[in-house]
Amino acid sequence: PGGVSGLLLVFGGASAAAVVLVGKVGDRRPTAALVLSAVAVAVSLVALVVRGATPAVDLALAAAWGLASGAVGPLVQTAIMRTAGERLRAAAGTAIPVAFNLGIAVGAAGGSGVVDRLGLDTLPVFAGLVALGATVALLARAGLTARVGRPTAGGRSGRGGRPLRAVEQVPE
């Protein structure tokens, strides 16, 4: 297959490979894997500015973007479910698709506004900057969790000596 269908096939294959890869290594260092995947999404989005240079470049871009974005979903879902704990697991499970669909809607609206006002060529940079901003927020959250959310040897959080609540625990 060629053209758009070929690019979609490469993107989908790379996304599927990412799910398999995350399933094998994501449990060892889930926060690091999520941050790495988020950075890879940002980089692959910005790299789309060179789309159309050659068919080989387009295939490589589709593969990189698919690999990066395919890993994010399972990693985010796993982090949400682990953070929710047993007590909030059902609520978290129902909130995940709502949050993903809201993200798609907001992204589509924002993207169409960018294309309408600034043109299609600016969209990859804008999308990459949004992904980079999300990565920075993720890093800030991971750093905050590492500082105040990890139990100490005494089983306390170190924040006033009180036990951790389930929503404060982030796996890693």
Side-chain angles (χ1 to χ4, degrees), residues 43-135:
V43 169
S44 66
L45 287 170
V46 172
L48 290 174
V49 299
V50 298
R51 75 193 179 286
T54 67
V57 168
D58 290 348
L59 286 172
L61 289 171
W65 187 17
L67 192 61
S69 63
V72 171
L75 289 167
V76 168
Q77 290 177 3
T78 300
I80 289 170
M81 296 304 282
R82 285 182 176 173
T83 302
E86 280 298 319
R87 194 171 64 83
L88 299 174
R89 188 153 303 198
T94 59
I96 289 171
V98 172
F100 279 28
N101 285 322
L102 181 61
I104 291 167
V106 170
S112 68
V114 168
V115 169
D116 186 48
R117 287 173 184 73
L118 303 174
L120 183 60
D121 289 338
T122 61
L123 188 58
V125 174
F126 178 80
L129 289 174
V130 170
L132 186 60
T135 303

